[in-house]
Amino acid sequence: MVLLCLSATESASAAPQQPEPQPSAAAEGTTHVPPQGTHPPGEPDPKFIEECEADPEAQSLQGRVYHRGVWCQTAEVELPTAQGNATLDITAAAYADPAARRVRVFYRVNDWNTDLANLPWINGLRTLRMRLTCDNQCGVIGNDDADKSQPLADWRVPSRDLPARQPNWAVWDITSPDTGSGPEHMLQHLWQFQGTLEGQPGLSDDHEFALPEHSVRCDSAGLAPGYGNWTPKACINDDVMPFITYKKSDPGEWHVAQHIDHALNKPRETFPNFGSAKSIPGKYTGSKSSPGLHRVASDSEVAEANRRMKDAIRDRQGEWNGPDDLPPKEYPDMQADEYPFASTEEGLSQARAEDGILDASVDWVEGEQNRIAGNRLQEFYRKDRVLLGGRDEFWVNIQP
């Protein structure tokens, strides 16, 4: 567990700040992470919670966004008082709804500890009241429920040694109105747990505390042009950097993965402008300062211009051969593949630098792999709810 020291005064009154995106949206190395696109459950999967509680990345001030669909945190929260400190061992999770402007949030107290010598009034009879706050037009369902205000002894999860462990989950729903910016009606919200530990009359005041804020984004993009078969409305957990992963060891996509790997790591060895210095964006490094990619609609003028330029490079003959031409195909079924993707603002038609060099790459890849990789990109857009234009930035992660 990570001990989170919270100042009651500063935490409760600090101005909202956008949380720093986490470096990873992937849930690799985990086995029970809820599938992306799953509707919020009535209660978190116990196997997922066990994995979250054992995950060092979840034991942090911001918890861990496993993917844009689910967030989880497990930590020991320190509650300083004038007489001494008490701690709450807590677990929390947030499930974004892939088909409604809603996020379901869960919270429980696994255990609590106190310095009985200095804080005899903090015991199982003290009432802990929990609430959830949210900004920018969102609503919160559940703050008035009776199970949000109960004695510490009732909050505590029964012993983990019991055969049938029944977690005492408190549940809230964050709702987002169908308003906001752009055709997607996009709204971003910051939500936060706040609590009150009841004092003892005549001896101590109520103790107020707040946990760090988290960002969610809701939209109605499925009702806007350019989004195809998306669900009409949805929300995502927004404290994360979205990226798509291609693996060079995957027999269904290795050729495309190898092309993108060369484009990102050996750009001088790519066509056109072979041998020239290039700066090709989109490499996932874990830092938001690395230049990413921005999506455009598949039928947009930019995407069509990107594809036309790819075709022109593919079809060059005669005077075009040399460093700007592609080498011959190894076999007939190969197709010309471009990176950055045609469905991005950084594609071929937009990639010409001031020196005339294209900060992009075109290469021959196996045709079926090109189709598979393209379908995976569209699925990534849909599942991670990657919005068009400057509303989202994403990266590409190439693995062995």
Side-chain angles (χ1 to χ4, degrees):
M1 290 291 177
V2 171
L3 193 64
L4 306 183
C5 299
L6 300 178
S7 164
T9 302
E10 293 178 359
S11 297
S13 62
Q17 294 181 349
Q18 184 77 12
E20 180 67 21
Q22 296 180 358
S24 174
E28 307 222 1
T30 56
T31 56
H32 299 296
V33 175
Q36 202 160 3
T38 303
H39 291 282
E43 184 175 285
D45 180 354
K47 291 182 178 179
F48 168 56
I49 294 302
E50 288 177 12
E51 203 156 274
C52 170
E53 291 178 335
D55 185 350
E57 289 190 44
Q59 300 169 17
S60 65
L61 284 171
Q62 290 297 331
R64 180 180 179 187
V65 180
Y66 284 86
H67 49 61
R68 282 183 150 184
V70 65
W71 164 88
C72 187
Q73 178 188 46
T74 177
E76 193 168 276
V77 180
E78 183 175 344
L79 308 178
T81 73
Q83 295 83 22
N85 294 335
T87 58
L88 298 177
D89 175 355
I90 65 102
T91 300
Y95 291 77
D97 197 316
R101 297 181 69 121
R102 174 183 65 167
V103 178
R104 179 160 292 169
V105 181
F106 298 89
Y107 177 94
R108 77 180 186 202
V109 177
N110 304 311
D111 205 352
W112 54 272
N113 294 283
T114 186
D115 179 359
L116 289 176
N118 295 315
L119 301 172
W121 60 273
I122 299 183
N123 52 54
L125 299 178
R126 290 298 113 199
T127 295
L128 172 65
R129 297 193 297 273
M130 291 299 301
R131 58 193 176 277
L132 189 146
T133 64
C134 185
D135 73 348
N136 196 19
Q137 304 179 51
C138 56
V140 177
I141 299 172
N143 271 338
D144 297 329
D145 295 353
D147 62 353
K148 308 301 192 305
S149 180
Q150 54 187 347
L152 281 171
D154 294 338
W155 275 99
R156 175 186 279 165
V157 172
S159 170
R160 296 169 187 264
D161 297 329
L162 292 178
R165 178 183 171 201
Q166 298 297 322
N168 297 327
W169 289 107
V171 186
W172 293 264
D173 276 351
I174 299 170
T175 61
S176 176
D178 191 7
T179 59
S181 63
E184 300 91 350
H185 292 180
M186 185 193 77
L187 282 174
Q188 288 184 291
H189 308 288
L190 291 177
W191 66 268
Q192 181 184 48
F193 289 121
Q194 294 183 357
T196 302
L197 186 60
E198 182 186 80
Q200 184 164 335
L203 295 178
S204 60
D205 296 328
D206 290 351
H207 180 69
E208 306 281 344
F209 64 94
L211 275 66
E213 293 177 316
H214 304 281
S215 177
V216 296
R217 189 194 75 200
C218 299
D219 67 72
S220 302
L223 302 175
Y227 288 95
N229 63 347
W230 281 27
T231 56
K233 305 175 184 181
C235 293
I236 61 166
N237 289 292
D238 204 25
D239 299 345
V240 73
M241 291 174 56
F243 63 80
I244 182 171
T245 296
Y246 290 110
K247 295 183 178 181
K248 292 187 287 185
S249 59
D250 188 329
E253 64 185 30
W254 71 268
H255 221 171
V256 174
Q258 181 173 275
H259 171 213
I260 299 174
D261 186 45
H262 277 131
L264 295 174
N265 298 303
K266 300 178 181 179
R268 284 182 176 269
E269 300 177 16
T270 62
F271 294 87
N273 313 120
F274 186 91
S276 302
K278 300 183 185 182
S279 179
I280 302 180
K283 180 179 179 178
Y284 172 73
T285 65
S287 172
K288 196 171 176 61
S289 63
S290 298
L293 304 177
H294 301 83
R295 185 182 168 217
V296 298
S298 296
D299 59 353
S300 65
E301 292 184 8
V302 171
E304 293 292 346
N306 290 342
R307 285 189 283 267
R308 285 195 301 270
M309 193 163 183
K310 185 269 303 278
D311 292 345
I313 293 171
R314 176 195 63 190
D315 296 337
R316 285 174 179 168
Q317 295 180 3
E319 62 182 288
W320 292 100
N321 61 16
D324 288 345
D325 201 1
L326 296 183
K329 292 183 182 181
E330 294 181 22
Y331 44 90
D333 187 45
M334 298 187 85
Q335 297 177 352
D337 177 46
E338 75 267 46
Y339 180 84
F341 309 113
S343 56
T344 65
E345 291 181 351
E346 294 74 18
L348 283 167
S349 69
Q350 311 294 310
R352 192 174 300 280
E354 292 182 2
D355 57 6
I357 302 299
L358 281 175
D359 288 330
S361 172
V362 180
D363 200 0
W364 299 114
V365 300
E366 197 275 326
E368 181 60 23
Q369 290 192 37
N370 198 22
R371 286 186 285 271
I372 291 173
N375 289 336
R376 283 202 56 229
L377 179 63
Q378 294 302 317
E379 185 70 359
F380 162 72
Y381 288 156
R382 184 184 67 82
K383 283 188 174 182
D384 269 62
R385 207 79 180 177
V386 179
L387 300 184
L388 298 174
R391 299 178 182 278
D392 249 331
E393 188 172 22
F394 72 96
W395 292 262
V396 183
N397 182 38
I398 302 298
Q399 292 187 350

